[in-house]
Amino acid sequence: MPTQKLSYSDVTALGFMTLALFLGAGNIIYPPFVGRLTGEYYLIASVGFNLSGVLLPMLAVLVLAEKKGDPLAVCAPMGKFWGAALASSFYLFLGVFFASPRTATVSYEMGVRNFVADTPAYLLTYTAVFFFVVWLLALYPNRLLKTIGYVLAPLKLICLACLALYSVRSPVAPLISASGAASVKSFSDGVMNGYLTMDTLSALTFGVIVINSMKARGVTEKESIKRYAKTSVLFAGAGLVVIYLCLMKIGAGYGQTADFENGAQILRMFIVDNMGVTGTVFMAVLIYLACTVTAVGLTSSTASLFSQMFNIRYTVMLPLIVFASFLIANFGLTRLIGFSVPALSVICPACTTLILLSLFRVPARAIALPVWVSMAFSFYDAVLKPSGVSVAFLDKMPLSDVSLAWVLPAALSALLLLTKQKITSSAVSVSE
């Protein structure tokens, strides 16, 4: 039976859905703060931010498309056991322990908290309703293209389009004490903050939703999946670049009018000053839509993976995932952030290494060691170093001051294995 082609409306909805999945609350409040840090150099910062926060995650979706949406296949070079363990860790920390509970608490703090008192009862009520809606939307994964791509994503993007129009009214303020090296620092600030969104890791979860939506429409051939995945990431990538640029402009101008501590404060005050009282409602709606879409994507993809791994029905696994996120959002998020952030700081470099090596079609036998190397060096930076353990030569590694000391060792180990493999292949050819 020939593979069904997607209609133009489905292709457009797929692009909207991909864009909306990546635009969580964190992705909306990061760019304004980067703009505030870099001032008149915000355009240079945006280049760095988009390289690590847009290009790399979009490439990760393409790597997943190469494997027909199977995250276990992406992690297969690590071996059956360790590949499954690595994939599970990706999904557990995003879909259960950290990112998913945070979508509820962030939307509560930035939206509902403007209208109610800060009490555990209100938080409990809100998160119960929030995750009930998430469960309903994620209950039918084959319908996510309709619910997200055709409904939630357009609503979310309309709100962001309104915000983008208001950003034009924000003049760009010069960076205080700017120097000749400021442009280089602005670029590196952009790269680091784009990397810290951890969207490369999120891409392995959101990419599953995108590809499964294609399959639900009858697109099952590998080449067709890859073709539509390219279209959706081009659409989403272009949208992310424009939105991030507008948000950075707000930070570069309005963000320097006061001593703001984070992007959420910048965005909240900018909206209120430009939209008045209705700005508070607008902000609440925008953040709620952003968090809901992200939560649906995280819980749905996590439930899909574990139902596949343990041969448990999706409809049984989903409520377990959703309920765990609900409990953590109410009773353990603060402590889990202290545990999850270092863990994610170790897992994300492993994911980035795995994606880049897979993207460049490095043979499977040359992938596992670089991934382990990246995890070892990032474990030192994220866990041992903050605990007081100090190793002099590790502290002097290139990029160690920005927690990227793993990059060079991982690259060198990959190069060493590729060189060894090439020499071995040459020796075998000569002997024959």
Side-chain angles (χ1 to χ4, degrees):
M1 181 179 177
T3 298
Q4 180 181 334
K5 292 184 178 181
L6 295 181
S7 65
Y8 287 114
S9 60
D10 280 347
V11 173
T12 303
L14 198 66
F16 276 128
M17 182 172 72
T18 307
L19 173 56
L21 285 169
F22 279 98
L23 270 174
N27 300 79
I28 293 174
I29 63 179
Y30 254 105
F33 195 67
V34 175
R36 182 186 185 279
L37 290 175
T38 55
E40 63 180 328
Y41 298 100
Y42 81 97
L43 289 174
I44 296 173
S46 72
V47 175
F49 190 91
N50 288 319
L51 282 175
S52 58
V54 177
L55 179 61
L56 193 55
M58 295 302 107
L59 292 175
V61 174
L62 296 182
V63 169
L64 192 60
E66 181 75 29
K67 305 297 183 182
K68 299 182 68 174
D70 184 359
L72 293 176
V74 175
C75 297
M78 299 298 295
K80 187 175 181 179
F81 174 80
W82 290 112
L86 191 61
S88 298
S89 66
F90 292 164
Y91 281 74
L92 280 174
F93 281 100
L94 286 174
V96 181
F97 294 148
F98 182 65
S100 182
R102 190 180 64 171
T103 58
T105 55
V106 167
S107 58
Y108 174 78
E109 289 292 334
M110 295 185 65
V112 178
R113 274 284 288 107
N114 294 313
F115 307 100
V116 301
D118 186 16
T119 65
Y122 279 119
L123 176 61
L124 181 67
T125 303
Y126 174 78
T127 52
V129 174
F130 179 88
F131 280 112
F132 178 72
V133 172
V134 167
W135 171 71
L136 284 179
L137 293 173
L139 190 57
Y140 304 99
N142 291 343
R143 300 180 187 176
L144 288 181
L145 184 60
K146 285 186 177 180
T147 55
I148 295 180
Y150 281 91
V151 181
L152 294 179
L155 287 174
K156 183 176 177 178
L157 294 176
I158 288 171
C159 291
L160 287 167
C162 293
L163 190 59
L165 291 175
Y166 275 100
S167 73
V168 177
R169 301 170 56 178
S170 176
V172 177
L175 183 67
I176 299 172
S177 302
S179 64
S183 59
V184 176
K185 186 179 185 305
S186 296
F187 178 80
S188 64
D189 283 343
V191 171
M192 273 306 302
N193 280 278
Y195 170 74
L196 291 174
T197 63
M198 297 186 179
D199 275 351
T200 304
L201 183 57
S202 301
L204 290 182
T205 59
F206 298 146
V208 171
I209 303 297
V210 174
I211 295 166
N212 284 345
S213 295
M214 299 180 201
K215 293 178 179 179
R217 288 290 197 275
V219 179
T220 56
E221 292 179 357
K222 182 177 177 179
E223 292 305 314
S224 297
I225 289 174
K226 289 167 61 177
R227 183 174 72 253
Y228 287 123
K230 287 178 183 177
T231 303
S232 65
V233 299
L234 284 173
F235 183 98
L240 287 171
V241 168
V242 172
I243 291 168
Y244 287 157
L245 190 61
C246 292
L247 293 173
M248 284 188 192
K249 186 176 186 296
I250 291 173
Y254 186 86
Q256 298 194 35
T257 61
D259 189 21
F260 296 108
E261 295 180 358
N262 54 60
Q265 292 180 357
I266 297 171
L267 206 54
R268 183 187 296 113
M269 293 309 301
F270 176 80
I271 291 173
V272 170
D273 283 356
N274 281 274
M275 301 182 188
V277 178
T278 57
T280 305
V281 178
F282 175 87
M283 184 73 173
V285 172
L286 172 61
I287 296 302
Y288 175 76
L289 289 171
C291 289
T292 300
V293 172
T294 300
V296 170
L298 291 171
T299 54
S300 176
S301 57
T302 303
S304 294
L305 175 70
F306 288 115
S307 63
Q308 174 189 344
M309 288 179 63
F310 300 111
N311 197 26
I312 299 174
R313 284 187 303 163
Y314 175 84
T315 52
V316 174
M317 184 61 71
L318 178 65
L320 296 177
I321 299 296
V322 172
F323 187 67
S325 297
F326 162 73
L327 289 178
I328 292 169
N330 279 276
F331 301 113
L333 185 60
T334 301
R335 280 176 292 181
L336 274 166
I337 284 177
F339 169 68
S340 297
V341 170
L344 285 168
S345 298
V346 175
I347 294 169
C348 197
C351 176
T352 304
T353 304
L354 182 64
I355 291 299
L356 287 174
L357 294 179
S358 300
L359 183 69
F360 290 110
R361 300 183 183 279
V362 172
R365 68 185 67 179
I367 290 180
L369 178 61
V371 172
W372 284 117
V373 168
S374 68
M375 292 181 72
F377 277 85
S378 56
F379 182 80
Y380 171 75
D381 274 339
V383 179
L384 297 181
K385 196 172 179 180
S387 300
V389 177
S390 180
V391 180
F393 87 92
L394 291 178
D395 293 336
K396 295 178 182 179
M397 290 287 295
L399 303 177
S400 61
D401 55 332
V402 288
S403 301
L404 291 175
W406 58 271
V407 172
L408 184 59
L412 289 176
S413 62
L415 183 62
L416 179 65
L417 287 176
L418 287 172
T419 303
K420 178 183 177 182
Q421 184 176 346
K422 188 174 181 180
I423 293 173
T424 303
S425 300
S426 300
V428 171
S429 299
V430 171
S431 63
E432 291 178 349

